[in-house]
Amino acid sequence: MYPKGLQAYWKSAFLPRLTDDVVRVAEKFGEAIPSVQTANHFYPINGAVQRVGRDETAFPYRDADFAVDIACHWEDPADNEANRKWVRDYYAELHPLGSGAGYVNFLDADDQSHIEDTYAGNYARFAKVKAKYDPGNLFHINQNIKPAG
C-alpha cells in the first residue's frame, strides 16, 4: 500500500460549502504542515451526485459540496505523535463546520465509531444486508459495518 517505512494518518469531513471559516482553518493548518508528504484535498461532490436521493445509494451526503481529505504521511516513526496531532487538531477545527461525517475511504482505523454517522440513515439497512450475506463478519477490516442481529 505505502512504500516501506512510510507512516500515514488521515481524517475526512463533508462540507456543505467553502465558507470563510473553512478557508481560515485550512490556511492555519496549511501553514503548519508537519511533513512535505502531507496533502489536504478538497474534492468537489456536486452536480449529478446531488440529483440522487440520500437513501438511494450508500452515499447519503448529497447536500455536501466538498469532501475534505486530510492525509498526513511521514517516514520517521519518531514523528508519529506530532503528525497525528496535526491531523487530529485540524480535523477538530474543521469537523464542526461540516456535515457531521466524512468520506468512508478517507477514515483511519481509529474512526470506527464514526461509521454509523458516515452512512447516516442508511446504516441500519446496510447492517441488515451484512447480517444476511456476511453474518460471521468475515469482511471486517477497515471501516466495518457490523451485521445487524
Side-chain angles (χ1 to χ4, degrees):
M1 183 159 119
Y2 292 107
K4 186 175 180 178
L6 188 65
Q7 310 294 313
Y9 189 67
W10 55 86
K11 299 284 180 205
S12 177
F14 289 125
L15 300 173
R17 63 198 54 81
L18 289 182
T19 64
D20 289 344
D21 288 338
V22 168
V23 172
R24 178 189 52 75
V25 171
E27 181 178 32
K28 173 184 172 181
F29 284 91
E31 291 174 351
I33 286 177
S35 166
V36 297
Q37 296 163 310
T38 293
N40 183 200
H41 304 225
F42 284 72
Y43 295 102
I45 48 174
N46 49 26
V49 170
Q50 294 177 338
R51 292 191 290 269
V52 176
R54 289 178 60 94
D55 61 349
E56 292 181 48
T57 71
F59 182 74
Y61 287 92
R62 303 295 174 164
D63 56 341
D65 278 340
F66 293 91
V68 179
D69 177 21
I70 305 166
C72 194
H73 300 87
W74 64 98
E75 294 180 21
D76 188 346
D79 296 332
N80 286 0
E81 188 49 40
N83 284 280
R84 288 185 177 129
K85 181 180 182 335
W86 179 85
V87 173
R88 280 190 223 101
D89 291 349
Y90 188 172
Y91 175 76
E93 286 194 38
L94 191 63
H95 182 74
L97 304 173
S99 300
Y103 186 61
V104 71
N105 290 342
F106 297 153
L107 300 180
D108 209 292
D110 64 354
D111 286 319
Q112 187 62 43
S113 64
H114 300 287
I115 300 305
E116 203 164 328
D117 293 336
T118 298
Y119 290 110
N122 296 333
Y123 186 87
R125 180 170 47 116
F126 298 146
K128 288 178 186 175
V129 170
K130 180 85 177 233
K132 180 177 180 178
Y133 293 102
D134 185 20
N137 204 21
L138 176 66
F139 299 102
H140 64 278
I141 308 292
N142 297 331
Q143 297 75 23
N144 185 35
I145 295 174
K146 293 180 176 41

